[in-house]
Structure formats: structure tokens, C-alpha cells
Amino acid sequence: MSTTSQKHRDFVAEPMGDKPVTALSGIGEVLGKKLEEQGFDKAFAVLGQYLLLRKDGELFTEWLKDTSGANSRNAASCSQCLREWCDSFL
Amino acid sequence: MTTMRIKSDQEIRELLDGYGIKHGPVVESTRHLYEKKLKEAMVKDKVTVTKPSPDRTFYREEREEVSYVNYRTPVRSEWPSGDGEPYMRSRPEYSDRDLVDEKLYSRSRPEYSSGRQYVDEPHVYNTQSSSSSYSKPTPVVKPGGGVVKAERKASSGRLIPLWIQFLVFLIVAGFLYFLFTSMESAESSPFNRIQ
């Protein structure tokens, strides 16, 4: 099993609905706040951005780093989380 | 830096396509990211343009071919008229092979400048068969045969600068010569002084 956290497994297990952005794997309080300031207050908003970037992991991690100041690890974690969610539900 | 901002979404899209950057729709939320990517791509482009190596080698080869052609024409006038015609007939064929040789010897021009003169003479003698004109130069450049192999490696990859290869070759040759002359064996060495 890959090194996915419980948070990750919880997120990809079900449709995200109205979950807050902090429910995403890799997004904690600090990053969540920064994203909310940018207007991304819900997980589906970040999902929207992921889809706009054509589900490209690299582009998305770059965007996330620029927007929220996330480091590579968190950004990659969030990207992988969204990708697996899309694989199951999109 | 701010020139990116004034471009329309469409223009940014076209620039991204021009650089071959995979992208999604250019909207407000994605625009900043794509502007950044375009800036990086432009910087990278400037860096690759200023790199002269691939273009310069082409130039050098072309210049060498042209200069070699110029070298040939005065030689032609020197030879008697009897040889003039067959010289002309096989000249284009030989020049084709010379172009091939040029590419091999393009780097070693200073070394082979003396060898070229030898190349011309056998060519005149072998006007009958142009095939042997290619084989003739090989015994002439035999002493440098090892260099040719090194040349091929250099021209294909050019990972190591040429002068370094020459230097290494000279060092190895000098070292071997030193070893050879310092041997006390009874082999008849051509380098021994005649007593």
C-alpha cells in the first residue's frame, strides 16, 4: 500500500459534496486559510481548478504552490488525492 | 514582465501552443500560472539561442567545404592540359567524396593541411578509376589513422571538447614514445641513432 494518509483514504472513499477545502489531503489549516482567501473555500472549488488544468498533476501542483505557498510534498499529496477521487467518481 | 498582463487570453493561449506547453483554458484563475510558464519558456529560449555550438559547427563545415573548393581551382590551372579533361570529369565525383572526407576532417584542418597536398597528387594519377582515388589517401593519412577514429567519436557526440582530445592523444603518444626509447631491449628501433 502506498503511503497515503487516513485523510487521503477518507477523501477518496466518497463523493466530496460540500466538504471544506481542509478535507483535502495535504491541505491543513494554514494552507486552507490561504486558499479560502483566494476564493477556494470548498473542496469542489479546488477540484474545479484541477479540472481546469486538465487534470495535469504538474500544472496543478505548480498552481497550488503559487496560490497557497504549499510545499512540494503537500501539493503532490493534494494532487494525488484529487486524481484518485476523479478516477473513482468523475 | 508586465507585458504578459496586457495580452489577451487568446494571445496567451497561442503563445502556450507555440512553446508546446500543455494547458487548459485560460481563465482568471489559471491565467497567472500560464503567464509564469510563458516567462520561464521565454527565458529558456533566450538561453538556447545564445548557445552557439550546434550552429557554429554547421558553419564551420560549410566554410570548410567552400574553402576546399577554392583551393582546388588554382591547382587545376597548374596541371598540363592533357590532364585537364580527365581531371574535370572525375572532379565532381571526387569532390563528393571529399565532402564526406570534409566532414570527417573538418576539425583537423590545421593538422591535415600538409596532407591535402598529397591528396591532390594521387587524384590526378587515378583519373581513370575514381574508386581508387578514395583508397589512395588512406595510406597517406595512415599515421593519423588513430586520430580519425577519435574524430568520428568527437563529431558524433562532441561531449568532450576537441582540443582536450588532441591533448590527450599527444600526451599518450609522447608517453609511449618515451617508453619506447627508454627500452633497453635489442629490438632494432628506428629511433636509435645510426652509429
Side-chain angles (χ1 to χ4, degrees):
Chain A
M1 200 184 212
S2 62
T3 53
T4 53
S5 62
Q6 186 62 40
K7 207 173 168 188
H8 173 101
R9 290 193 286 274
D10 286 345
F11 190 83
V12 301
E14 57 182 3
M16 64 176 78
D18 269 345
K19 282 185 189 170
V21 72
T22 48
L24 283 163
S25 170
I27 307 295
E29 278 205 35
V30 174
L31 294 177
K33 248 211 177 70
K34 291 206 183 132
L35 283 171
E36 281 167 25
E37 284 167 15
Q38 302 281 328
F40 297 89
D41 56 342
K42 294 286 185 187
F44 63 70
V46 180
L47 170 72
Q49 187 67 13
Y50 179 70
L51 297 175
L52 272 179
L53 296 171
R54 300 178 60 82
K55 300 196 279 181
D56 185 317
E58 274 187 40
L59 275 177
F60 178 74
T61 48
E62 206 174 323
W63 171 84
L64 192 58
K65 284 193 229 176
D66 282 348
T67 312
S68 67
N71 60 26
S72 300
R73 197 168 58 92
N74 287 337
S77 174
C78 182
S79 172
Q80 189 188 354
C81 176
L82 281 172
R83 192 184 57 193
E84 285 182 27
W85 188 92
C86 287
D87 285 345
S88 301
F89 300 105
L90 195 61
Chain B
M1 290 250 287
T2 51
T3 52
M4 279 290 142
R5 298 278 164 84
I6 55 178
K7 292 200 191 298
S8 73
D9 288 346
Q10 182 61 33
E11 282 169 347
I12 293 207
R13 246 173 260 133
E14 283 165 8
L15 284 170
L16 285 167
D17 289 335
Y19 284 109
I21 299 172
K22 273 173 50 179
H23 64 94
V26 181
V27 289
E28 277 184 31
S29 57
T30 58
R31 196 188 157 98
H32 178 75
L33 175 70
Y34 292 138
E35 284 175 7
K36 204 179 76 152
K37 278 206 161 305
L38 281 174
K39 281 177 210 163
E40 288 170 9
M42 284 182 179
V43 167
K44 253 190 209 165
D45 251 10
K46 278 185 192 162
V47 169
T48 52
V49 161
T50 52
K51 246 193 197 168
S53 42
D55 287 334
R56 207 168 265 184
T57 53
F58 266 122
Y59 259 127
R60 203 183 275 187
E61 285 178 347
E62 280 177 9
R63 227 194 301 150
E64 299 242 345
E65 289 168 6
V66 169
S67 67
Y68 195 70
V69 168
N70 289 334
Y71 174 75
R72 296 195 70 84
T73 42
V75 174
R76 185 174 93 85
S77 59
E78 286 176 19
W79 291 104
S81 57
D83 284 337
E85 270 203 15
Y87 190 102
M88 269 193 69
R89 177 171 56 85
S90 51
R91 192 168 81 102
E93 298 167 21
Y94 191 75
S95 64
D96 283 341
R97 292 225 174 79
D98 267 344
L99 289 181
V100 174
D101 283 346
E102 281 294 334
K103 282 183 182 133
L104 292 177
Y105 298 140
S106 61
R107 293 285 192 180
S108 62
R109 229 180 112 221
E111 282 218 359
Y112 286 110
S113 56
S114 59
R116 289 268 169 79
Q117 298 161 11
Y118 294 119
V119 165
D120 271 337
E121 289 184 2
H123 166 72
V124 174
Y125 295 136
N126 291 326
T127 49
Q128 304 294 326
S129 56
S130 54
S131 61
S132 57
S133 70
Y134 187 70
S135 63
K136 263 285 183 173
T138 46
V140 176
V141 298
K142 195 182 169 186
V147 182
V148 174
K149 279 173 195 160
E151 285 293 326
R152 282 195 189 131
K153 274 182 196 165
S155 61
S156 62
R158 284 202 189 96
L159 295 171
I160 306 170
L162 190 65
W163 63 273
I164 288 181
Q165 292 200 345
F166 274 134
L167 198 64
V168 169
F169 171 71
L170 288 173
I171 288 171
V172 170
F175 177 67
L176 289 173
Y177 174 76
F178 170 72
L179 275 182
F180 193 69
T181 50
S182 66
M183 295 278 252
E184 292 292 328
S185 63
E187 295 173 27
S188 61
S189 157
F191 299 111
N192 281 343
R193 291 200 184 141
I194 299 169
Q195 292 174 355

